[in-house]
Amino acid sequence: MTINRRVTPGGWQTKVPAITATFWIIKVLSTTIGETVADYLAVSVGLGPAVTDAIMFALLVAALIVQFRTRRYTPWIYWLCVVLVSIVGTQITDFFTDVLGVPLYLSTAVFAVLLAAVFAIWYRQERTLAIASINTPRREGFYWAAILTTFALGTAAGDFATEALNLGFRNGTLLFGGLILATWIAFRLGAGQVLTFWIAYVLTRPLGASLGDLLTQDKDLGGLALGASVTSLLFLVAILVLVVREQILVGRHGVAEKNAGPSGGRGQDYAWAGVCALAVVVAGFGLSLVQGSSPGTDPQADAALTTATGTGPSAAAQLVHPTTRLGNLSKFAVIVSDVQGKVTSNDLVGAKTRVKDLEVAWDNAEAGLKPRDATRWHEVDDRIDAVLTALRSAHPTQAACAPAVADLMKTLNTFDGV
């Protein structure tokens, strides 16, 4: 069956995909891919946040130029833009939080207001917010502005829920998944299609982030210990399969009209989306059973378990009590011990480099550790901040750095598990 293509006088066709099961599966998976790729470039490759931000922004601009020059929905271009918007939207929120120090509740409120403003201006100009009506350059401009804002809002709201409210990534996955289910039920009961779409679109961002943490975090933090690289590969394969299928169907059937259903049939759409989602879940649990939380699952985890001087995790067990309310903090103590050794030998440059591993490992574990004991987490976090401040000052000195590192190590050693 060939679906008639709805074309405007200017020659433009609908520029976005039909809202199907495939759409939502790709959306959630691309959200996680976007975040892990940015982290990989900034940390593992060593480009740093500033260079990574510049690269991602430039790639997004280039992809959007290609997207705007097309005259109909082209799956590979569209979803490339979504992945890049996911990365940039996340980086915008991180800039407000990490660089400017804006509280998460405030950034959530600001992005919510900005999104409302985008919708208000969009509706005033076009008299519609319908996704299937994206068939002119101006409407597409409003659409991508809204998409970018939803990613920034979703990141802020998700971080606020899982970190500031101490829900953690496991509860976050259940919470945001439940909210999306409730939104779908509301739609089925007669709630507006446009309203429920945009609510669900915002919620998929924190769901994807929580799901990514669930897969990548160590088992002692409640995750499956797959690591960012394995998780990204799994999700990327699933995305490629679904996007290639979309590209083939668009070439065969054309661009679906509003309410016409997915190209190739709704049954096949559910089947393909379901099989890909199930394959990711099965592969994830299978690899988790094989890999566990052993070294080698992820470069960041390895950095937390092995020091530059050859100290291993067995030595870390002697540095702190192996069990506390926060869990096993041995891998963090390994890095602190290494930093302390470098400060003692007055190798402040080496200590500054090594302390980055501590910062990354601690930040990555926040969603898993903080919900267990927020008071103890803040106690350690404050002392880590003191060490970072001392080592990263304009003119660091051994006299200033040594007490800060010693205080952090003392704090880890005094945890008695109660």
Side-chain angles (χ1 to χ4, degrees):
M1 179 183 70
T2 300
I3 298 175
N4 294 328
R5 300 173 179 176
R6 181 161 51 85
V7 184
T8 65
W12 281 55
Q13 299 171 12
T14 301
K15 297 293 296 293
V16 299
I19 310 306
T20 63
T22 293
F23 174 91
W24 291 114
I25 293 296
I26 299 177
K27 171 62 169 61
V28 173
L29 298 181
S30 64
T31 294
T32 305
I33 283 284
E35 187 167 19
T36 54
V37 167
D39 290 343
Y40 177 78
L41 292 176
V43 179
S44 299
V45 177
L47 296 180
V51 175
T52 302
D53 290 355
I55 292 174
M56 292 300 106
F57 182 79
L59 289 175
L60 174 59
V61 171
L64 285 176
I65 290 174
V66 176
Q67 168 69 15
F68 272 81
R69 290 176 65 87
T70 63
R71 287 294 181 264
R72 65 169 184 164
Y73 167 55
T74 306
W76 75 269
I77 298 175
Y78 174 86
W79 287 110
L80 175 61
C81 289
V82 170
V83 170
L84 292 172
V85 167
S86 170
I87 297 173
V88 173
T90 300
Q91 291 171 325
I92 290 174
T93 300
D94 290 345
F95 176 79
F96 274 86
T97 303
D98 299 335
V99 178
L100 300 183
V102 178
L104 286 169
Y105 73 87
L106 181 58
S107 58
T108 299
V110 168
F111 289 129
V113 171
L114 286 177
L115 182 59
V118 171
F119 284 147
I121 298 171
W122 183 358
Y123 187 80
R124 183 174 182 179
Q125 293 291 324
E126 301 295 333
R127 311 309 299 177
T128 180
L129 300 177
I131 309 309
S133 67
I134 311 300
N135 51 14
T136 68
R138 187 165 68 176
R139 288 182 178 182
E140 187 171 16
F142 283 123
Y143 174 78
W144 286 109
I147 293 297
L148 179 60
T149 311
T150 61
F151 273 108
L153 173 60
T155 301
D159 290 348
F160 179 67
T162 58
E163 297 175 13
L165 298 182
N166 302 331
L167 290 180
F169 54 83
R170 286 177 294 175
N171 291 334
T173 301
L174 295 174
L175 171 65
F176 294 115
L179 289 174
I180 291 175
L181 177 60
T183 303
W184 178 80
I185 293 174
F187 167 70
R188 299 296 297 178
L189 293 177
Q193 183 179 25
V194 173
L195 175 63
T196 52
F197 170 83
W198 284 112
I199 291 175
Y201 203 97
V202 171
L203 291 173
T204 53
R205 171 60 186 82
L207 173 64
S210 298
L211 181 61
D213 284 338
L214 182 63
L215 294 173
T216 59
Q217 292 283 6
D218 288 344
K219 286 189 175 181
D220 59 359
L221 299 178
L224 296 180
L226 294 186
S229 301
V230 175
T231 301
S232 297
L233 181 60
L234 283 176
F235 283 20
L236 181 60
V237 170
I239 290 173
L240 288 176
V241 169
L242 293 175
V243 170
V244 168
R245 177 177 180 269
E246 282 273 288
Q247 190 70 58
I248 293 173
L249 290 175
V250 167
R252 182 182 303 166
H253 299 289
V255 180
E257 287 187 351
K258 181 180 180 180
N259 298 325
S263 300
R266 193 172 300 278
Q268 288 193 27
D269 173 70
Y270 280 125
W272 277 88
V275 167
C276 283
L278 181 62
V280 169
V281 172
V282 172
F285 276 102
L287 290 172
S288 173
L289 293 175
V290 173
Q291 295 186 175
S293 57
S294 59
T297 58
D298 186 79
Q300 294 178 11
D302 292 345
L305 292 172
T306 306
T307 69
T309 59
T311 304
S314 59
Q318 302 173 8
L319 298 174
V320 295
H321 296 280
T323 56
T324 72
R325 287 182 180 177
L326 291 176
N328 191 333
L329 302 182
S330 298
K331 61 183 180 182
F332 306 109
V334 169
I335 307 176
V336 176
S337 178
D338 199 14
V339 172
Q340 189 172 42
K342 293 180 183 299
V343 170
T344 301
S345 62
N346 205 25
D347 179 12
L348 300 185
V349 174
K352 181 179 178 180
T353 301
R354 182 62 172 142
V355 83
K356 179 65 179 178
D357 292 333
L358 176 63
E359 181 182 31
V360 171
W362 185 253
D363 287 347
N364 287 344
E366 178 178 356
L369 295 177
K370 191 176 178 182
R372 297 175 176 178
D373 190 334
T375 301
R376 287 291 178 91
W377 183 89
H378 280 291
E379 185 179 348
V380 178
D381 189 61
D382 289 343
R383 283 157 179 78
I384 290 176
D385 286 341
V387 173
L388 294 174
T389 300
L391 285 170
R392 292 174 178 174
S393 66
H395 302 287
T397 63
Q398 185 183 41
C401 295
V405 178
D407 190 34
L408 173 57
M409 181 61 75
K410 179 181 178 181
T411 300
L412 294 174
N413 275 317
T414 55
F415 278 3
D416 55 10
V418 298

